[in-house]
Amino acid sequence: MTQAIQKTLRDSAAMRWTALLLLALAMFCSYIFMDILSPIKDLMLSERGWDSTAFGTMQGAEVFLNVFAFFLIFAGIILDKMGVRFTAVLSAAVMLIGACIKWYAVSDAFVGSGLETWFTNHLNYIPLFDELGVSPFYEGMPASAKFAACGFMIFGCGCEMAGITVSRGIVKWFKGREMALAMGSEMALARLGVATCMIFSPYFARLGGEISVSRSVAFGVVLMCIALIMTIVYFVMDQKLDAQTGEAEEKDDPFKITDLGQILTSSGFWLVALLCVLYYSAIFPFQKYAVNMLQCNLDLTLPASDSFWASPKVTIVQYVIMLVVAAAGFASNFQKNSTKRFCLLGISIAALITYCFMGYMRQSAEAIFAVFPLLAVLITPILGSYVDHKGKAASMLVLGSLLLIGCHLTFAFVLPLFEGNTVGGVIVAYITILVLGASFSLVPASLWPSVPKLVDAKIIGSAYALIFWIQNIGLWLFPLLIGKVLDATNPDIVNGLNAGTITAEEAAVEYDYTAPLVMLACLGVAALIIGLVLKVVDKKKGLGLEAPNIK
């Protein structure tokens, strides 16, 4: 009788993985919208007049309110007081509102409107923020970029709220079970959004032979509607779980401001938070410029307009092959039969080779960078399962930092050596991007499952919120810095654009990315040092970061 009472949705593997799938799909959609303009940076320059500084300022605006209005801290408090399901739906609704604003900002309807006039004449000077050098706007910034930044700020509030909510939701459904595997799997699926964005954003922008950047953003808005639906379904599931268990997050162990002291006095927490901001600052801002970096370093020649490789159909075919890579590789992790496991791995590898060949034939920088999350999808569940059963989370963070440093230095100094060698350059790019994706997979599989070992269960939401807030400082700063460094280290391009001696289309693919890439590699070095210190502290204080999650 007692066993029957204790049997809940959480005890059913199918139900808890269904709950995870709903959260992961919502994050999948948000990851697509997060980088929806990244693969069309060149078009934003030619179609909307956004130079690298304007593009970087707009991209950095995503986390502006989270950092400077402390919205993430409030989001953590909302999560701890109101629970996972309420916050999940709220975050999806906020993301949708911000997405709609950003879509209108880059649409043709905005051009010549009263809003365009207002944004042209206003927000050129923000008291205090301008003095501190942290304003999300500047004089001369295109009106469309300003308004898009406003929408992106709102989207960013919802997106980061969703991030901490998903982490808390996984802890709720998987604590004491395969938590690292669940977190790794969620991030593996969510990061397919990056690949989806890289493939379909340029596809919609150029659909029908007529360029329209607003079509790409509209595609993202539709996906944010789907994300809202996913969170509503999750709401129902989570509500049923609480009814079964008698849990009431909103009432039991209410959040107190004084609880933050438990987090802030933890040396392990600070090391994890610093590692997070350094590592993620070297990845997410890079994603926003990666396609353009490849366009500037690879000698790509578009195929003939009447060939199969230039047709819209090839985009769909390549994406289907990508899904085969991800699905077969991911499923291989869960096969106990070795024959089936190696068969699925073989299918995944064969599909990956086919995908890479198609990307080369298409001569598409977007398609080349889209392989970024594919190796992560394959190995993140493996790493998560390893952390669950064997531990070594801190060691994985050190390894991830080493790979990160190597990849950015390869982009900075090795890839340019292959100028004029299309095949060699593309091969180097593919290998480096895949390794970078593998490096990225080490973090969710090892870092996020470590947080519950550092703080009490009732303030996990606030702990994740603080980490995300610290992380967001980097995610605001480095897209902006990359843009400014690009313009500062490419004065010939900037002066040529101002003088009209070079077209926007020519300028977009002529930038030298060496300085920004070295800057990102330095972040990796700092992350490596913090990771080594974390290993020492873990061993000295027994934080349990190297211990397995499943006892």
Side-chain angles (χ1 to χ4, degrees):
M1 182 67 177
T2 303
Q3 292 180 345
I5 293 175
Q6 292 177 342
K7 188 72 173 177
T8 66
L9 288 177
R10 187 162 47 200
D11 297 315
S12 167
M15 288 297 100
R16 63 176 178 268
W17 283 94
T18 297
L20 176 72
L21 180 63
L22 292 170
L23 294 174
L25 285 174
M27 292 306 296
F28 170 82
C29 295
S30 71
Y31 267 54
I32 293 175
F33 193 86
M34 187 188 304
D35 282 317
I36 200 70
L37 294 182
S38 299
I40 54 173
K41 176 182 181 290
D42 56 328
L43 297 183
M44 297 312 299
L45 175 59
S46 60
E47 299 298 310
R48 291 293 181 266
W50 295 12
D51 60 14
S52 291
T53 299
F55 183 83
T57 303
M58 189 285 303
Q59 294 283 33
E62 177 194 358
V63 296
F64 183 83
L65 294 178
N66 290 324
V67 174
F68 295 102
F70 303 100
F71 180 81
L72 257 178
I73 306 300
F74 296 118
I77 296 174
I78 292 171
L79 175 57
D80 282 328
K81 290 184 70 68
M82 303 302 295
V84 174
R85 57 179 177 271
F86 172 85
T87 314
V89 175
L90 176 63
S91 62
V94 172
M95 284 192 288
L96 179 58
I97 293 171
C100 290
I101 293 174
K102 186 173 179 179
W103 166 74
Y104 181 70
V106 300
S107 69
D108 292 337
F110 181 77
V111 179
S113 67
L115 269 176
E116 183 184 39
T117 302
W118 191 92
F119 274 92
T120 299
N121 297 328
H122 295 82
L123 300 181
N124 295 312
Y125 171 73
I126 310 296
L128 183 61
F129 286 99
D130 271 272
E131 280 73 15
L132 294 174
V134 297
S135 176
F137 315 106
Y138 61 87
E139 187 170 2
M141 184 175 181
S144 58
K146 288 182 186 176
F147 193 38
C150 293
F152 213 24
M153 288 181 199
I154 296 172
F155 170 84
C157 290
C159 187
E160 296 304 317
M161 183 192 293
I164 60 173
T165 302
V166 168
S167 298
R168 176 66 177 268
I170 293 174
V171 171
K172 178 177 181 178
W173 283 79
F174 285 87
K175 189 170 185 179
R177 297 176 175 85
E178 56 279 89
M179 186 163 63
L181 176 61
M183 287 192 173
S185 299
E186 179 270 324
M187 288 308 299
L189 177 58
R191 285 191 183 128
L192 273 179
V194 178
T196 304
C197 170
M198 296 300 161
I199 287 181
F200 281 107
S201 179
Y203 172 80
F204 283 110
R206 297 183 172 94
L207 190 64
E210 180 183 349
I211 294 178
S212 173
V213 293
S214 66
R215 278 200 300 262
S216 296
V217 185
F219 165 65
V221 171
V222 172
L223 291 175
M224 294 319 304
C225 293
I226 295 174
L228 179 59
I229 295 171
M230 293 296 100
T231 58
I232 292 173
V233 176
Y234 174 84
F235 183 101
V236 176
M237 282 191 66
D238 193 79
Q239 190 174 46
K240 185 173 182 179
L241 175 63
D242 280 359
Q244 290 177 331
T245 61
E247 295 175 0
E249 292 177 320
E250 301 83 356
K251 298 178 182 178
D252 293 347
D253 295 321
F255 173 86
K256 303 182 182 65
I257 294 295
T258 53
D259 289 335
L260 290 177
Q262 299 177 36
I263 302 174
L264 300 178
T265 54
S266 169
S267 59
F269 168 83
W270 279 110
L271 288 171
V272 167
L274 287 173
L275 186 61
C276 178
V277 68
L278 290 169
Y279 195 89
Y280 276 72
S281 294
I283 294 287
F284 282 123
F286 171 70
Q287 285 180 191
K288 300 181 185 303
Y289 291 87
V291 170
N292 189 236
M293 183 274 294
L294 293 176
Q295 290 171 335
C296 295
N297 281 287
L298 296 175
D299 295 311
L300 300 174
T301 303
L302 292 178
S305 58
D306 59 347
S307 72
F308 167 75
W309 300 111
S311 69
K313 293 179 181 179
V314 73
T315 302
I316 306 299
V317 173
Q318 195 175 19
Y319 187 67
V320 171
I321 293 173
M322 173 189 291
L323 294 180
V324 173
V325 176
F330 186 80
S332 68
N333 292 288
F334 302 92
Q335 298 298 319
K336 294 182 180 180
N337 184 293
S338 58
T339 302
K340 291 182 178 179
R341 181 168 64 253
F342 287 116
C343 181
L344 286 170
L345 278 174
I347 293 172
S348 181
I349 293 171
L352 177 60
I353 294 172
T354 303
Y355 174 89
C356 292
F357 172 75
M358 294 183 70
Y360 168 74
M361 293 301 295
R362 291 182 63 193
Q363 293 287 282
S364 166
E366 309 94 89
I368 291 171
F369 185 72
V371 302
F372 173 66
L374 294 187
L375 192 56
V377 172
L378 173 61
I379 71 172
T380 299
I382 298 174
L383 296 173
S385 181
Y386 185 86
V387 172
D388 281 331
H389 294 91
K390 303 295 184 180
K392 304 298 181 183
S395 298
M396 286 190 178
L397 295 174
V398 171
L399 176 59
S401 299
L402 286 170
L403 294 176
L404 176 70
I405 296 167
C407 289
H408 282 313
L409 291 180
T410 299
F411 283 132
F413 299 110
V414 178
L415 187 60
L417 297 178
F418 286 83
E419 183 178 358
N421 185 344
T422 304
V423 176
V426 170
I427 290 174
V428 170
Y430 270 134
I431 293 174
T432 310
I433 293 166
L434 285 168
V435 173
L436 185 64
S439 166
F440 198 16
S441 69
L442 290 164
V443 174
S446 52
L447 188 148
W448 299 121
S450 300
V451 177
K453 298 179 180 180
L454 304 174
V455 299
D456 289 339
K458 73 172 183 176
I459 52 173
I460 287 176
S462 297
Y464 279 125
L466 276 174
I467 291 179
F468 274 61
W469 178 72
I470 295 169
Q471 170 190 317
N472 271 223
I473 295 174
L475 300 188
W476 159 75
L477 178 62
F478 283 94
L480 176 64
L481 278 181
I482 293 173
K484 288 183 176 295
V485 169
L486 272 178
D487 281 341
T489 56
N490 292 272
D492 292 342
I493 293 178
V494 175
N495 295 333
L497 281 171
N498 292 335
T501 58
I502 183 175
T503 66
E505 291 82 358
E506 293 171 332
V509 295
E510 292 295 331
Y511 285 100
D512 180 355
Y513 270 83
T514 303
L517 289 168
V518 171
M519 176 178 68
L520 297 178
C522 290
L523 291 178
V525 173
L528 174 62
I529 295 172
I530 296 296
L532 292 172
V533 172
L534 183 62
K535 280 178 64 70
V536 173
V537 172
D538 176 62
K539 185 175 182 180
K540 183 178 180 180
K541 295 191 174 183
L543 299 176
L545 299 183
E546 294 283 84
N549 293 324
I550 298 176
K551 307 295 183 182

